[in-house]
Amino acid sequence: MFTDDNQTQESGAGKRQHSRRRANVRIGMRKRGYAQTKTDMTDISQTGFQIDSTVNLATGEIIFIYLPGIQPLSARVVWRDGFRVGCRFEAPISEYIYERLVDTVGTD
């Protein structure tokens, strides 16, 4: 489930360019050379997302996420704080795909 969070927030790279939606959805995630596992997505925007993951992920590592209704997406880990992991999509997702994803999963 997603909820709107249109506040501009500071990140390590400065102000975010796209609004984020809070999420509470279980998704598939895989790092290169490993089997897919489940993880919890806690927010998403057109350029990135945050997950809670027990998988050992290093900053700079490429992962793949599996979301309802779209092909797997690649992303790079940009920060980690305990189990919380922030990732940036390798290529921003289009507004159409973003809205379709939010509509498919639903909003709170």
Side-chain angles (χ1 to χ4, degrees), residues 2-9 15-22 43-49 89 93 95 98-99 102:
F2 295 95
T3 58
D4 288 324
D5 185 7
N6 291 320
Q7 299 175 3
T8 302
Q9 299 176 350
K15 291 184 179 182
R16 291 187 172 134
Q17 296 176 348
H18 294 93
S19 65
R20 294 200 164 252
R21 295 224 179 146
R22 294 183 199 274
D43 75 30
I44 188 169
S45 74
Q46 286 181 250
T47 55
F49 56 93
F89 290 118
I93 57 177
E95 186 171 344
Y98 177 69
E99 292 301 327
V102 171

Side-chain angles (χ1 to χ4, degrees), residues 2 14 22 25 31 42 47 53 56 61 70-72 77 81 84 86 96 108:
F2 295 95
R22 294 183 199 274
V25 62
K31 58 191 259 184
T42 58
T47 55
S53 179
N56 186 15
E61 188 167 15
I70 60 174
Q71 294 182 2
V77 174
D81 182 11
R84 293 180 8 184
Y96 173 79
D108 284 340

Side-chain angles (χ1 to χ4, degrees), residues 5-75:
D5 185 7
N6 291 320
Q7 299 175 3
T8 302
Q9 299 176 350
E10 295 292 324
S11 70
K15 291 184 179 182
R16 291 187 172 134
Q17 296 176 348
H18 294 93
S19 65
R20 294 200 164 252
R21 295 224 179 146
R22 294 183 199 274
N24 182 18
V25 62
R26 195 103 169 122
I27 64 167
M29 188 270 301
R30 180 178 69 81
K31 58 191 259 184
R32 287 189 179 171
Y34 290 84
Q36 184 180 161
T37 186
K38 294 293 185 181
T39 191
D40 296 314
M41 179 179 280
T42 58
D43 75 30
I44 188 169
S45 74
Q46 286 181 250
T47 55
F49 56 93
Q50 181 176 299
I51 57 175
D52 286 335
S53 179
T54 57
V55 175
N56 186 15
L57 299 171
T59 301
E61 188 167 15
I62 304 258
I63 64 169
F64 301 91
I65 62 169
Y66 301 82
L67 299 164
I70 60 174
Q71 294 182 2
L73 299 168
S74 62

